[in-house]
Amino acid sequence: MQALVKKEARSQNIDVQESACLSILLYSGVVLASEMSDPERIPYFLSPSMPHLSGLMIYYAEDLTICESLLKLFRDYAERYLPMLTRDQCIILFSASTSLLKSYSEHHCKSRAIVKTSNSVEDFEEEQSYNDVLCAIQLLIQLGTKDFIDLCNTSKGVDSNQITDVIFFGLQQILPLMTQGLLRFPKLCTHYFTLVGFMVETYPKNLCSLPLELFDSLLDSLLFGMSHSDSLVSKSSLHGLAGLAQEHLKTHSLSNHLSAKPNIIENCTRRLLLEVIFQPIIWDRVEPAGMALLPLAAIDVHKFVEVINAVSQQYGQKQKRLHCAFEELIKPDILANVSKEGREGRVVRVQFKNDFDAFVRNVQAFLVMR
């Protein structure tokens, strides 16, 4: 690394590249030795080298093999050793990871093309080609854990807002890649929604203030995920949708986005009804679906009624029964309370949960079941 900085060696020289690959491989081997006795020795050995390893990304970000190896090294180190790191070691890891992710994003998150394949073998091979994205997501998840933030966030350490900024920076780079084509890969999908679920739960206001194009990408992924066959993915998506709606009720943080695209909430409500609540898949996600529907309805009751009317028309002779079911479910006092407080509260939550369970059973009986 020092030779590259001092320009004593050229990064494109094949011998220098092989030396870089070998160094990363050797350090990766050290990281994998976490089961040895006294593993605390490994962070003491690795910490001085982390900034230098991160610096290699500046020179080799375009080389996907070296790039992926570096991301995997940092991910494995964070996953295996975070509980035993000292405050100083956490700060070193944070600084090195910040530099690593910024260099990576400049070369691999701007113009990545997603090509949909047609069979399982090609799918597996293509998923492997996006292993660098998976490693970046997993590293961001580790940087966002409470233990890591608490260790870094001291009077002489790293402010928690700095860590949040880095995670959001990484998320913003990855969001444009998260199309339905890429989300069909199980590992990528699961880890992406783990990251998004954590961010919505912890920093909903920051997500609501994303630029419109990035917010659209986030929302599209949540709407895709809520009807996913994996219940963990669907629940994370529904919790995310509920979190964004609740944040808007409390702070009106989506006002700018709604000025540009007034139908955002209605579209979310319509898709939630048609793609989740009125479908047989609802049974393993009843509660999160109900808790997403409630704040969406409370944002604008009149537009919610318009959505119900439009959706009901698709069911012909069952339209009247559907209207009656909604009248029993949506009580004005509950919506007024949610709209005022920005959240449902324990009593209202229990009441609406029971009402929504009954609503789903009723609606499924005459819409889906024969």
Side-chain angles (χ1 to χ4, degrees):
M1 179 62 193
Q2 291 179 351
L4 289 171
V5 172
K6 294 178 181 179
K7 298 184 178 180
E8 294 174 356
R10 292 189 308 107
S11 61
Q12 301 306 314
N13 183 287
I14 188 64
D15 293 328
V16 176
Q17 288 181 341
E18 288 182 353
S19 296
C21 288
L22 180 59
S23 298
I24 296 169
L25 186 62
L26 291 172
Y27 277 108
S28 298
V30 173
V31 168
L32 295 177
S34 59
E35 300 299 322
M36 65 181 289
S37 60
D38 300 323
E40 295 85 358
R41 294 176 292 171
I42 293 178
Y44 281 101
F45 170 74
L46 285 175
S47 287
S49 301
M50 298 304 284
H52 302 295
L53 289 166
S54 175
L56 287 175
M57 186 68 86
I58 298 172
Y59 299 94
Y60 294 110
E62 294 181 359
D63 187 319
L64 194 56
T65 300
I66 296 179
C67 171
E68 182 181 323
S69 298
L70 283 168
L71 288 167
K72 186 177 179 181
L73 167 61
F74 274 71
R75 177 205 65 188
D76 291 344
Y77 179 64
E79 285 182 352
R80 290 167 180 264
Y81 297 95
L82 187 58
M84 63 186 77
L85 295 182
T86 65
R87 179 188 65 86
D88 291 338
Q89 290 167 347
C90 278
I91 294 171
I92 291 172
L93 173 59
F94 169 74
S95 300
S97 298
T98 301
S99 174
L100 183 84
L101 289 168
K102 286 182 177 178
S103 298
Y104 164 73
S105 67
E106 289 174 2
H107 292 85
H108 291 286
C109 294
K110 303 292 184 183
S111 57
R112 201 77 171 263
I114 313 296
V115 181
K116 189 167 184 178
T117 52
S118 57
N119 62 59
S120 59
V121 175
E122 290 176 348
D123 276 353
F124 175 77
E125 292 176 351
E126 190 183 351
E127 183 171 18
Q128 293 302 106
S129 72
Y130 289 99
N131 203 41
D132 58 306
V133 180
L134 175 61
C135 290
I137 292 173
Q138 291 170 323
L139 177 57
L140 287 169
I141 291 172
Q142 293 301 318
L143 295 181
T145 58
K146 185 179 184 299
D147 289 342
F148 184 78
I149 292 175
D150 288 346
L151 275 170
C152 288
N153 190 21
T154 62
S155 58
K156 295 182 180 179
V158 178
D159 189 274
S160 60
N161 290 330
Q162 291 178 265
I163 299 175
T164 306
D165 289 344
V166 170
I167 299 172
F168 265 95
F169 171 81
L171 182 61
Q172 287 182 43
Q173 308 310 306
I174 291 169
L175 270 175
L177 296 177
M178 291 299 132
T179 61
Q180 293 186 21
L182 201 56
L183 287 173
R184 77 181 188 278
F185 298 132
K187 274 190 176 181
L188 273 170
C189 185
T190 301
H191 283 89
Y192 168 74
F193 282 108
T194 299
L195 175 61
V196 169
F198 163 76
M199 296 306 290
V200 172
E201 181 180 348
T202 315
Y203 310 107
K205 190 173 182 179
N206 300 62
L207 284 176
C208 290
S209 62
L210 285 170
L212 181 58
E213 186 176 352
L214 290 176
F215 181 80
D216 278 345
S217 297
L218 171 68
L219 194 58
D220 284 345
S221 66
L222 292 176
L223 293 174
F224 168 79
M226 68 182 182
S227 59
H228 199 277
S229 58
D230 187 321
S231 63
L232 292 177
V233 169
S234 66
K235 289 174 183 177
S236 292
S237 301
L238 290 164
H239 286 313
L241 195 60
L244 295 177
Q246 289 167 353
E247 183 62 28
H248 179 67
L249 284 170
K250 288 186 284 188
T251 65
H252 302 288
S253 52
L254 293 177
S255 296
N256 290 335
H257 295 334
L258 290 172
S259 297
K261 298 182 70 174
N263 296 325
I264 290 176
I265 303 301
E266 295 92 293
N267 182 52
C268 292
T269 305
R270 179 181 56 79
R271 290 188 59 178
L272 175 60
L273 291 170
L274 292 175
E275 297 176 20
V276 180
I277 295 174
F278 293 168
Q279 298 298 323
I281 59 171
I282 183 62
W283 297 114
D284 65 356
R285 59 203 73 177
V286 173
E287 183 175 351
M291 292 304 106
L293 182 66
L294 182 57
L296 287 171
I299 289 175
D300 191 323
V301 179
H302 297 294
K303 289 188 176 180
F304 179 68
V305 172
E306 290 177 4
V307 172
I308 292 175
N309 290 335
V311 168
S312 299
Q313 290 177 3
Q314 301 180 30
Y315 291 93
Q317 297 178 347
K318 300 173 183 177
Q319 181 177 347
K320 186 176 180 179
R321 292 185 65 183
L322 196 54
H323 272 290
C324 291
F326 272 111
E327 287 175 2
E328 293 179 12
L329 172 67
I330 305 298
K331 297 179 172 61
D333 56 329
I334 289 182
L335 287 184
N337 184 68
V338 173
S339 181
K340 180 181 178 181
E341 300 294 330
R343 57 188 179 85
E344 61 275 3
R346 187 179 67 83
V347 175
V348 170
R349 183 184 183 91
V350 172
Q351 181 182 348
F352 186 79
K353 178 181 179 298
N354 293 333
D355 291 344
F356 187 72
D357 284 345
F359 170 81
V360 170
R361 295 180 187 281
N362 181 19
V363 167
Q364 288 283 317
F366 67 83
L367 285 187
V368 179
M369 299 179 183
R370 300 299 183 215

